[in-house]
Amino acid sequence: MSRTDRGSVEKITAAIVGTGGIAEAHVTAIRELAEHIELVAAVDVDEERLQVFCEQYGIAGRYTDLDRMLAQELPRLVHICTPPSSHAALSIRSLRAGAWVFCEKPPCTMLAELDEIEAAEEETGRYCSFVFQWRFGSGAQRLRRLIETQAFGRPLLAICHTTWFRDDGYYAVPWRGRWETEAGGPTMGHGIHATDLVLWLLGDWTEVRGMIGRVDREIETEDVSMAMVEFESGARGSFVTSVVSPREETYLRFDFQQATVELRHLYGYTDADWRFTPRPGEQEEALGDAWARRPAELPSTHASQLRAIVDSMREGGRPPTGPREVRPTMEFITALYRSAMTGVPVARASLSREDPFYSALHGNLAEWAPRNAERSRGAG
């Protein structure tokens, strides 16, 4: 990073691509780090929406073409806030133009695209970081350190529930509920935050047994998924993801040998959302003391993650939640779909480039492939 004549660190120039609803979270994050980042441009194919967005947030550079923006503005950091099907292509074009990338979830639509993004990193020397901001809240950071030091003993059981609600109006948006454009159902687009957090905390998984269904929404993808998971540590996990649950909640529970840790919230948490229960006995006070030692509070926001990316850019190192770090989560989702659609457990070690699910999360299976889902819907 270059420096000004005064010796201060020059601000990182940033651009936002896609000005839909999630872009607001990125603007908020950039403004929280205004000392370090300057938002110089926005891109959207919808010119009217672009103008409204730029007027609202005082953005000078306004473009309907990504490549033109990259050539004229030369941003150091590009925030990708578009529908999932475009994430890989836009990330790769931004990397090749010399920018780092902060891309919304899901990272891409399949493992094949994740490998293409990693290859583009190697080609360009630039890096891509995906939005998994729940890893960066102080509560998760604290629990991660306690797990690494085995302060509560071995993990034994995990429960991960993303029970949210999305009505028919939500799916009236043309790109939602379709494999080609949304990449998957709630397993991929909604529960991925909680899933990623559990996998990041508990480490490598070895086998998934999955189930999915279209229980109430007229869409191509699933609206409910469930999975039973075995971790390398020997721990077991239960995952439920839904968009048909009127009382919305995100609930995580971790049972260790010496304590239970719970997190109950919806779309983001603070330290107040965590609950700790020590195992009764003579170690109860010591366990409570270990949990009580906490870092300075950080909420699980985009800004908390963006701060870590800024640090990586200054140091020239690989940022957190890049293709390598999020691969276990993408492999887990791939295995869940494969298990659910084939009816057999899937070992992580069995996933390969030859697997049909490597290049399409529906595996081109007759019951779930888009053309068959569309035909079935029309017949109803």
Side-chain angles (χ1 to χ4, degrees), residues 26-107:
H26 287 257
V27 173
T28 300
I30 291 169
R31 287 182 169 180
E32 285 191 34
L33 279 74
E35 181 182 353
H36 309 290
I37 306 177
E38 179 183 4
L39 180 56
V40 298
V43 181
D44 202 301
V45 294
D46 185 327
E47 187 168 5
E48 181 178 353
R49 183 170 61 190
L50 172 70
Q51 296 298 336
V52 170
F53 182 83
C54 290
E55 287 295 327
Q56 180 178 356
Y57 295 113
I59 303 170
R62 306 173 185 189
Y63 298 85
T64 56
D65 180 84
L66 172 66
D67 296 322
R68 182 164 169 258
M69 183 279 290
L70 291 170
Q72 293 191 10
E73 299 287 348
L74 300 175
R76 295 280 312 285
L77 180 63
V78 173
H79 296 240
I80 305 295
C81 304
T82 55
S85 61
S86 64
H87 286 180
L90 297 179
S91 294
I92 291 170
R93 284 160 64 186
S94 299
L95 291 169
R96 287 176 174 163
W100 287 37
V101 173
F102 188 27
C103 179
E104 267 298 331
K105 58 79 184 172

Side-chain angles (χ1 to χ4, degrees), residues 238-353:
S238 172
F239 291 70
V240 176
T241 302
S242 162
V243 286
V244 299
S245 304
R247 188 183 72 80
E248 295 187 284
E249 180 180 58
T250 302
Y251 175 68
L252 306 183
R253 175 176 175 139
F254 303 89
D255 288 328
F256 302 91
Q257 289 175 307
Q258 303 296 330
T260 293
V261 178
E262 297 167 278
L263 173 61
R264 195 182 296 272
H265 67 111
L266 187 53
Y267 300 138
Y269 65 81
T270 66
D271 282 355
D273 297 314
W274 294 82
R275 179 182 177 187
F276 174 75
T277 306
R279 176 177 173 174
E282 60 184 30
Q283 297 296 317
E284 189 171 346
E285 184 175 348
L287 292 167
D289 288 344
W291 176 253
R293 292 191 291 271
R294 63 180 67 186
E297 179 163 3
L298 280 177
S300 60
T301 62
H302 285 68
S304 295
Q305 180 171 356
L306 184 56
R307 188 174 288 106
I309 295 171
V310 168
D311 290 342
S312 296
M313 294 183 77
R314 285 180 166 172
E315 296 163 4
R318 191 177 295 274
T321 65
R324 298 176 187 177
E325 279 194 295
V326 306
R327 189 176 187 86
T329 298
M330 286 291 292
E331 289 182 336
F332 174 91
I333 291 170
T334 302
L336 192 161
Y337 279 124
R338 176 177 150 191
S339 175
M341 294 180 193
T342 62
V344 297
V346 174
R348 184 178 177 187
S350 71
L351 295 173
S352 69
R353 291 174 180 266

